[in-house]
Each structure stands twice: as C-alpha cells, then as structure tokens.
Amino acid sequence: MDITVKKSVPLKGEIEIPADKSITHRAFMFAALTKGKVKVSNYSKGADCMSTLKIIQDLGCSVEFINDKEVLINAENSLKEPKEALDCGNSGTTTRLMMGILAGQNFNTKMFGDASLSKRPMKRVIAPLELMGAKFKHNDYKMPIEIQGTQLQGIDYNSTLASAQVKSCLLLAGLNAEGITSFTEPYKSRNHTELMFEYMGADINVEGNRVSIKKSQLQPKDITVCGDISSAAFFMVAALIVPNSDIIIKNVGINETRSGIIDVLKAMNGHIELLNKRIVSNEEVADIRVKYSNLKATTIEGAIIPRLIDEIPVIAVAASQAEGTTIIKDAGDLRNKEADRITAVKTELQKLGADIEETQDGFIINGKTELKGDCEIECYHDHRIAMSAYVAGLICKKPIKINEFQWVDISFPEFLELNSKLTIS
C-alpha cells in the first residue's frame, strides 16, 4: 500500500494510542508459563504480538477473545511440543524471548520467520544460552533455528550491550534453570520483564544494572497493558513540529527505562507535560500534553540511548527542525533492526531536504531546514522508518509518496486512523 502525505493543518484534540508492544509480548508469554488463567486487557493487536499469541497457542495454551480489548489465556497444562515449526513472522522480540523459554523445555522446537527476520542476527541470545547448556542447530546464527530442549544451569553473564531482549531471554531461561541466573549490562535497558516478574511473584533481585533470578513459578495475575510510548513518540514529534498544534495523548506508559524520548524532547525545548500519573500492573502511566515548540539542538549519547533506541528515527525528524547541530552517537545497534536504520534514515531524510550526515554509530543533523518533499520515500520493510517519514511529510512544502506503508501494521495498524482524529490532512 503506497500513500501520499501532504502538509498538515495544526494538530488538535485527544487520542489514546494502542497498547505497548513490548509489554504485550511479555504478558502473553508470561501468562503461558503460569499454569493458570490470565486475562490480558488492552493488548496490542500489531502483527508482531499476534505472532507471539499464535506461538503460545501452538505450544498448548488456549486463547479466548472475551471482547475487542480482553483476551483470556489458559495455561493450566504445561507447555507441549508443537506439531509444526513456530512462525515468528517479522518479530525479533518473539524470536529472542521465546528462545529463552524453549531452551529449557523437555521437547524440541523449530522456529522460522519472514525474509526480513531471517536476516537478523540471533547470536546475541544463542551464545549466552549455550553457556547455560542450551542446544541449537542454525545456519550462522540465523533463522530457521532448531532448539533442542534440555536442563539449563544458571550463569553470571556480563553483557557488553545494553539489550532488553538479551536480558529478558536469559531471565526467562533462568526461570527454569538450576541455580541463579544473573545478567549485568553497561546501561539499564528497558525493564518490563523485571517489573512483570515482580508483579507475578518471581524470585527476582535487581541491583542497579544487575538483575538475578532463581528458578520460579509465575503466578497467574491479570495484566492491563498501558499505551506504547514508542507509538506515542510519532505524535509527540508531529505536534512539536506542525505549527499551532496542541494535543493530549492518553494512557501512555512512562517507564523510566523507556521515557528517554520525553527527556530528549524537553531538552530540545519541547513543550511536554505529564498529567494524571498513576501505576497500572506495576508500570507507571500518564497522559501527555504536547504543544508546537521552537526546538533547539542537543547531543544524544551514552546511557540514554537504550531508553530511546526505537525512537531515534523520529527524533532525527525533530532534529531537522531544531536550531543548531544535533549529534546522535552510541546508537550503532540501529544497524541491526528491521533495516539498517542509520543508513535508511539518512537516505530518506536527505531526499526530503534535511541536512543529515551518517556516522558509524549515529547522525549529525544541522537544522532548522525546510523539508521540500516532492519525492518518493522507501520504508525498507521497517514500520518505524515508514511512520517517521509520515511525520516528516506533515511539514513538507510539497506532498510525498511513501511506498509499502503497510509495514506500519507490524506495530501500529491504527496509525492512520489516529492521525485523522487529530485533523491531520
């Protein structure tokens, strides 16, 4: 599906964004490990999360859709060997976290994904799992991958990369491993796994950037999923750069390990207010008000990078409208996403007229520049590239065409509908 984006009128009104994708993945997986019944409310309907839900069904859980916002997962029986290979679709989160679950089972499984996922590296989780005794068959650490279930042993793992996926994979493996499994990272990555484990009664201990878990049985507790700050980021940037905009985004998760986007946009002189703060299923939640602002350049590096790694493509759009030179570094992991997001963002924003230079681990972006448009944008099978381009299109002098915009459905099928509610045209 190709779409055309035109210069926007001011954005006004209130929206509620869809559920957090990261938390939904975990809610489905953790429910499958409870040996009980768990109701998950306000879950993400994105294709990635639906891949996770289908996999836990293939592993023996029953799934009942109560209504449009609630699903009941029955995991009263232990997980069992699937009849066929498990299809992870385009979801790296599904793949990497499920490896931690499946490596310690008493049966074998095979996992595969689409063409994009099949190119993504899995060594970062396979290598530490093998240290725990896990057994795999693979071709250069890429999908398809066979997992030979076996008894795992806890390890003390020091990661050179701050990665919530690697951390969560090992903690999930540690749930069913003998002894203690510990994970230490250089910076604190998103901690949804730790919070949900705590909520569901796991024997977990967190000290700074180190987390340890003992063999545990998760307790069945209903989970309400908050809105996804990674999805909210596109509307936040849109409101900041489209003149005279003033919007409220309701029910957004503001977990401190994910809220780097808020800190950076505030540092760029963005008008952002957090309203109605509250705790939902052990996660901090708020409503976010955003108004058009005269943005200023900043430097983004170091410990904040894991807190906003997925939002960097749309932050680059904001930086193109900020006075001065914005520098983004220490973000080399962007090259290992659905696409090489560093090269992709540089290439497509340059088409629009942005003054952006690619570095090995980030960008140098000079602003404020007028985005001219009148071109075709590629999204590289990457939902975040597609949505970032859409936001940029809202301030382009002439319309732009975004090819294969359907990749947005991977994480945010409601994106265009919510845009229309804010009078985007």
Side-chain angles (χ1 to χ4, degrees):
M1 175 183 72
D2 302 339
I3 67 167
T4 298
V5 186
K6 300 178 181 179
K7 192 170 185 178
S8 177
V9 299
L11 312 183
K12 303 286 184 179
E14 296 183 0
I15 56 171
E16 183 168 343
I17 55 161
D20 188 285
K21 193 173 86 165
S22 295
I23 298 174
T24 299
H25 279 299
R26 288 159 173 79
F28 290 162
M29 291 184 200
F30 297 5
L33 299 174
T34 62
K35 298 183 179 178
K37 295 180 180 179
V38 174
K39 181 174 70 175
V40 181
S41 302
N42 193 42
Y43 59 90
S44 169
K45 300 177 180 64
D48 280 5
C49 292
M50 291 301 100
S51 292
T52 293
L53 191 62
K54 177 62 167 58
I55 281 177
I56 68 168
Q57 285 180 283
D58 291 344
L59 291 169
C61 297
S62 66
V63 172
E64 176 189 350
F65 292 94
I66 301 171
N67 53 47
D68 189 48
K69 287 186 172 289
E70 298 177 317
V71 60
L72 182 66
I73 297 171
N74 186 338
E76 291 179 321
N77 298 314
S78 297
L79 299 184
K80 62 182 181 181
E81 185 168 349
K83 295 179 180 178
E84 298 179 346
L86 301 175
D87 184 358
C88 298
N90 185 250
S91 178
T93 301
T94 303
T95 306
R96 295 187 176 114
L97 269 62
M98 285 303 308
M99 282 188 189
I101 293 173
L102 296 171
Q105 300 299 321
N106 60 0
F107 53 79
N108 299 339
T109 47
K110 184 176 182 179
M111 308 174 77
F112 70 98
D114 67 9
S116 173
L117 184 61
S118 297
K119 297 176 182 178
R120 297 177 67 182
M122 297 299 159
K123 184 176 182 179
R124 62 177 60 180
V125 291
I126 290 177
L129 285 174
E130 287 180 331
L131 294 177
M132 297 179 72
K135 299 176 182 178
F136 298 91
K137 289 183 179 180
H138 52 79
N139 180 20
D140 194 26
Y141 296 98
K142 292 184 173 65
M143 304 277 265
I145 293 172
E146 292 185 34
I147 305 169
Q148 300 174 341
T150 188
Q151 177 61 58
L152 303 179
Q153 300 293 322
I155 59 170
D156 190 345
Y157 189 74
N158 285 280
S159 176
T160 58
L161 178 70
S163 169
Q165 289 186 355
V166 178
K167 175 172 62 177
S168 298
C169 172
L170 293 193
L171 292 176
L172 282 163
L175 273 182
N176 199 30
E178 297 299 329
I180 299 174
T181 300
S182 297
F183 182 91
T184 305
E185 55 191 340
Y187 309 116
K188 192 170 185 176
S189 61
R190 62 183 61 176
N191 66 346
H192 301 305
T193 293
E194 295 96 302
L195 292 176
M196 196 174 292
F197 271 179
E198 181 183 82
Y199 177 69
M200 301 177 80
D203 190 349
I204 186 168
N205 181 60
V206 179
E207 295 180 359
N209 298 339
R210 178 183 174 86
V211 55
S212 301
I213 192 164
K214 297 178 182 178
K215 193 170 187 176
S216 305
Q217 176 60 57
L218 297 183
Q219 301 304 307
K221 293 186 70 173
D222 293 343
I223 301 167
T224 298
V225 182
C226 56
D228 192 339
I229 194 168
S230 294
S231 297
F234 300 101
F235 296 102
M236 292 167 65
V237 171
L240 289 172
I241 66 176
V242 174
N244 301 313
S245 295
D246 186 352
I247 68 172
I248 292 178
I249 312 168
K250 304 189 74 174
N251 192 41
V252 183
I254 56 168
N255 180 309
E256 67 174 359
T257 65
R258 294 281 301 282
S259 58
I261 178 74
I262 295 175
D263 295 342
V264 162
L265 294 179
K266 282 185 174 182
M268 295 175 74
N269 197 43
H271 183 110
I272 298 173
E273 298 176 69
L274 299 182
L275 313 172
N276 190 24
K277 288 186 180 181
R278 55 205 184 271
I279 301 295
V280 178
S281 296
N282 218 25
E283 290 280 355
E284 192 172 7
V285 181
D287 304 331
I288 303 177
R289 185 180 185 186
V290 189
K291 297 172 67 174
Y292 172 72
S293 304
N294 293 313
L295 298 179
K296 308 296 181 183
T298 190
T299 297
I300 307 168
E301 62 182 332
I304 200 169
I305 293 296
R307 299 175 56 218
L308 49 65
I309 189 73
D310 286 336
E311 290 74 66
I312 287 178
V314 79
I315 289 173
V317 176
S320 76
Q321 301 308 299
E323 296 290 344
T325 300
T326 294
I327 298 174
I328 302 174
K329 54 187 177 180
D330 300 324
D333 197 40
L334 284 173
R335 296 192 185 276
N336 298 319
K337 299 293 184 177
E338 285 83 338
D340 178 340
R341 286 182 178 161
I342 292 178
T343 296
V345 168
K346 181 265 299 185
T347 301
E348 302 311 312
L349 285 186
Q350 279 186 345
K351 288 182 186 178
L352 298 177
D355 183 352
I356 179 171
E357 176 186 340
E358 171 184 351
T359 64
Q360 183 59 36
D361 63 350
F363 307 97
I364 300 171
I365 306 167
N366 296 306
K368 179 178 182 179
T369 55
E370 180 182 57
L371 301 186
K372 299 176 181 179
D374 192 25
C375 61
E376 290 191 17
I377 296 295
E378 304 301 327
C379 69
Y380 304 83
H381 298 181
D382 190 317
H383 49 131
R384 301 197 195 279
I385 300 296
M387 289 183 282
S388 298
Y390 190 103
V391 172
L394 299 177
I395 58 168
C396 284
K397 190 173 181 180
K398 294 183 179 180
I400 66 171
K401 179 183 177 185
I402 305 177
N403 296 324
E404 296 188 310
F405 195 75
Q406 72 273 10
W407 286 96
V408 167
D409 291 345
I410 288 291
S411 66
F412 202 166
E414 305 89 345
F415 180 77
L416 292 177
E417 177 188 353
L418 290 182
N419 277 319
S420 67
K421 289 185 179 180
L422 296 174
T423 66
I424 294 178
S425 59

